[in-house]
């Protein structure tokens, strides 16, 4: 598993941000990312423009994520 960090833009407001997601590969991450970002931003999936992949990090057994970050 890897953590993928993507840039994205909210089309209606022009705001750009970043969001990370854990997935097996980049294709799986892209498939899920838009829907999750739309939920977080309280908007429709059509209002999200997924940008470039900023980085991918291999997850290891020592990786911990706080409850607020998940």
């Amino acid at each position: 598993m890897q953590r993928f960090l993507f840039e994205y833009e909210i089309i209606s407001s022009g705001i750009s941000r970043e969001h990370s997601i854990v997935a097996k590969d980049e294709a799986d991450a892209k498939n899920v990312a838009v829907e999750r970002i739309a939920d977080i931003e309280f908007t429709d999936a059509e209002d999200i423009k997924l940008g470039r992949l900023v980085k991918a990090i291999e997850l290891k057994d020592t990786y911990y994520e706080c409850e607020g970050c998940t």
Side-chain angles (χ1 to χ4, degrees), residues 12-52:
S12 61
S13 65
I15 295 172
S16 295
R17 296 189 177 136
E18 294 179 344
H19 180 72
S20 67
I21 189 162
V22 174
K24 292 184 292 186
D25 56 35
E26 185 177 349
D28 286 343
K30 284 182 176 180
N31 288 336
V32 177
V34 172
E35 290 295 329
R36 289 202 183 156
I37 293 168
D39 286 345
I40 291 168
E41 297 289 351
F42 301 105
T43 190
D44 295 323
E46 295 81 28
D47 195 27
I48 303 297
K49 178 182 174 187
L50 195 61
R52 72 179 179 94

